[in-house]
Amino acid sequence: MSLAKFSLIFSLCCHLLFISPSPAFSQTAKELRGLELLGDIEQAITSLAERVTPTVVNITPIREIAQGQGFQRRAPFAQGSGSGVIVREDGIIVTNNHVVGEDATEADVRLSDMSNMIAQVIGRDKETDIAVLKIQSDRKFPAAHFGDSNALKVGQWVLAVGNPMGLDRTVTLGVVSGIGRERLNLSRYENFIQTDAAINPGNSGGPLFNLRGEVIGINTAIIHMAQGIGFSIPADMVSRVVDQLVSQGRVVRGWLGVGIQSLTKELAEQFGIKEGHGVLVNEVYEHDPAHVAGIKPGDIIVSVDDSSVDSPNQLSRLVARVGPGENAKILVLRDGKELIYLVPMAERQEKSMLASLPLQKSEVTLGLDVQGLTAALAEQFELQETVGVLVTKVEQGGLAHSEGVQEGDLINEVNRQTVRTVTQFSEAVAKVKPGQTILLRIIRKARAFFIVIKTLP
């Protein structure tokens, strides 16, 4: 524990006991009680550290290099490249996928007694940056257990243990400084715990403990050039991934079959809903679960199995938790009305299309030309849909240009009305009065999204 944190805790103890710590630290009865309380806290933390550090290991991936007619093993980093935690007595270890790397099938594991053993990589999940290793031994190992990361609150004390810069079993104390962190572009399914417990290079893959000694996160990243901003994958997510990797060597996730995007202020106004309340369905893939159930483009998904949805990332996580063949209760808003669908999930495949994201706006201001879509044009612009009008020209500096419309885009809806011909498109646009907004649904190659264009008054 740092001197600053020690002083802070001492001052807090004194404050709680109505003590004003004097410069001379005169030993009044109340001050002695404060010191006793502080000693109890210190003893609890040191006991916790002693109890959990034996479960933490140093991990160095082993790679094979060609040498003559055979292969030779070598561990490239003598100081160790990361950390891990033993979660089962039979030698199951959890770490980050980026610690073991893409090509390693084995790793050198240094235990708390400084002995080294070889562990096999038995499964990895790139989507959450989790990997599972297994020490091949009949020995029973000290193991940590997962806690309930869903019950975490900001301000709770946590202990991070790892091997930063090759310094074995370094312990740092801090608090949970944030929960539910996403949009960090670290993995596909993001729901990070943020902590100010010091996490440094080499801590990756190491555990984040609560004061009961339970693993409530796996440390995975830091923000460089910042102090006290580290991120951990929550135990709830980690434990599900580990169970599947151990039992079947891969992770199976549910697949709904929709393209989605965030509800911006402009989109929320168009759909008559509060900004950030739900996510917008911009595409429904034919024959996939959502399409079979009856979900349509323009629907707002508000919840999955009674868990509210506020962002595309959150929807992806909730859907992924539902096993293939299991039903998910999807609540959507359509034209202001609530509809509930029981959707049997399919299995998500690696080739599945990514969810669409809203386009970036520029500060320029409009015009575009369209023409009917032909089979040749659809092939030229790699369009899978054949209903709509093709954008053939976008004026530089115009409103359409400023909203990101591009030549080759297919417009198939204007203000929620399907347009199949240039005439229908022109008629739909003509209904819009100066100063009003136009909601367009655009198909670009295999992706669909909505944009809002505000016309000039």
Side-chain angles (χ1 to χ4, degrees), residues 21-78:
S22 64
F25 288 98
S26 57
Q27 300 295 297
T28 67
K30 288 185 177 180
E31 286 176 335
L32 288 173
R33 286 201 300 271
L35 286 170
E36 183 179 354
L37 176 59
L38 183 60
D40 289 342
I41 295 173
E42 184 180 58
Q43 179 61 39
I45 293 171
T46 56
S47 296
L48 170 64
E50 290 174 359
R51 180 157 49 94
V52 300
T53 49
T55 67
V56 181
V57 299
N58 181 289
I59 295 176
T60 303
I62 295 173
R63 294 178 176 85
E64 291 183 338
I65 56 172
Q67 190 176 55
Q69 298 299 315
F71 290 89
Q72 176 183 343
R73 289 176 175 172
R74 72 171 183 180
F77 304 111

Side-chain angles (χ1 to χ4, degrees), residues 245-292:
L245 290 179
V246 171
S247 63
Q248 52 196 20
R250 68 188 185 101
V251 179
V252 178
R253 295 185 170 92
W255 170 249
L256 183 59
V258 294
I260 52 178
Q261 66 186 87
S262 300
L263 276 170
T264 62
K265 180 180 179 181
E266 294 81 8
L267 285 170
E269 290 176 354
Q270 287 289 321
F271 286 88
I273 193 171
K274 183 180 178 182
E275 181 183 0
H277 181 61
V279 298
L280 175 61
V281 176
N282 53 38
E283 188 167 11
V284 178
Y285 306 134
E286 191 173 359
H287 306 309
D288 277 349
H291 177 263
V292 174

Side-chain angles (χ1 to χ4, degrees), residues 322-383:
V322 183
E326 298 178 2
N327 287 333
K329 185 174 74 171
I330 310 292
L331 174 63
V332 306
L333 288 180
R334 181 184 300 162
D335 299 326
K337 297 179 180 179
E338 289 189 351
L339 301 172
I340 295 177
Y341 294 95
L342 287 178
V343 185
M345 291 291 103
E347 181 179 345
R348 182 185 179 277
Q349 304 295 328
E350 288 299 320
K351 64 181 181 180
S352 299
M353 287 176 277
L354 298 176
S356 302
L357 296 175
L359 298 173
Q360 298 295 319
K361 298 181 180 180
S362 63
E363 295 301 320
V364 292
T365 51
L366 192 155
L368 56 79
D369 293 337
V370 298
Q371 72 173 62
L373 183 66
T374 65
L377 288 172
E379 182 178 358
Q380 177 184 343
F381 291 102
E382 302 177 42
L383 295 168

Side-chain angles (χ1 to χ4, degrees), residues 75-263:
F77 304 111
Q79 293 298 314
S81 60
S83 308
V85 58
I86 303 172
V87 294
R88 298 189 188 181
E89 289 183 343
D90 61 354
I92 294 293
I93 298 171
V94 179
T95 186
N96 285 143
N97 184 53
H98 75 259
V99 168
V100 297
E102 295 299 320
D103 56 344
T105 59
E106 294 180 326
D108 181 83
V109 175
R110 186 162 68 249
L111 304 174
S112 59
D113 61 5
M114 303 309 291
S115 63
N116 287 69
M117 304 189 77
I118 301 299
Q120 306 291 324
V121 179
I122 64 172
R124 63 181 88 223
D125 181 45
K126 299 177 184 178
E127 311 290 15
T128 55
D129 194 24
I130 290 295
V132 176
L133 290 73
K134 173 72 167 65
I135 301 174
Q136 303 301 321
S137 172
D138 295 331
R139 167 182 169 184
K140 283 190 175 181
F141 298 92
H145 303 284
F146 289 113
D148 184 5
S149 58
N150 292 321
L152 277 179
K153 295 185 182 299
V154 173
Q156 283 187 228
W157 285 5
V158 288
L159 205 69
V161 185
N163 303 289
M165 313 305 293
L167 302 171
D168 282 18
R169 278 156 286 282
T170 296
V171 175
T172 54
L173 179 68
V175 299
V176 174
S177 47
I179 55 178
R181 300 302 196 203
E182 55 183 36
R183 293 190 289 273
L184 300 175
N185 296 320
L186 297 173
S187 61
R188 181 186 296 276
Y189 300 104
E190 297 187 337
N191 187 32
F192 294 113
I193 302 165
Q194 182 182 330
T195 179
D196 71 344
I199 296 174
N200 295 292
N203 274 107
S204 289
L208 189 69
F209 292 102
N210 61 20
L211 293 187
R212 290 185 293 275
E214 299 167 331
V215 177
I216 47 88
I218 295 296
N219 301 321
T220 190
I222 58 175
I223 292 183
H224 293 285
M225 306 303 293
Q227 293 185 354
I229 303 180
F231 300 100
S232 299
I233 308 167
D236 177 59
M237 182 183 294
V238 175
S239 62
R240 290 197 310 274
V241 170
V242 170
D243 287 343
Q244 292 196 54
L245 290 179
V246 171
S247 63
Q248 52 196 20
R250 68 188 185 101
V251 179
V252 178
R253 295 185 170 92
W255 170 249
L256 183 59
V258 294
I260 52 178
Q261 66 186 87
S262 300
L263 276 170

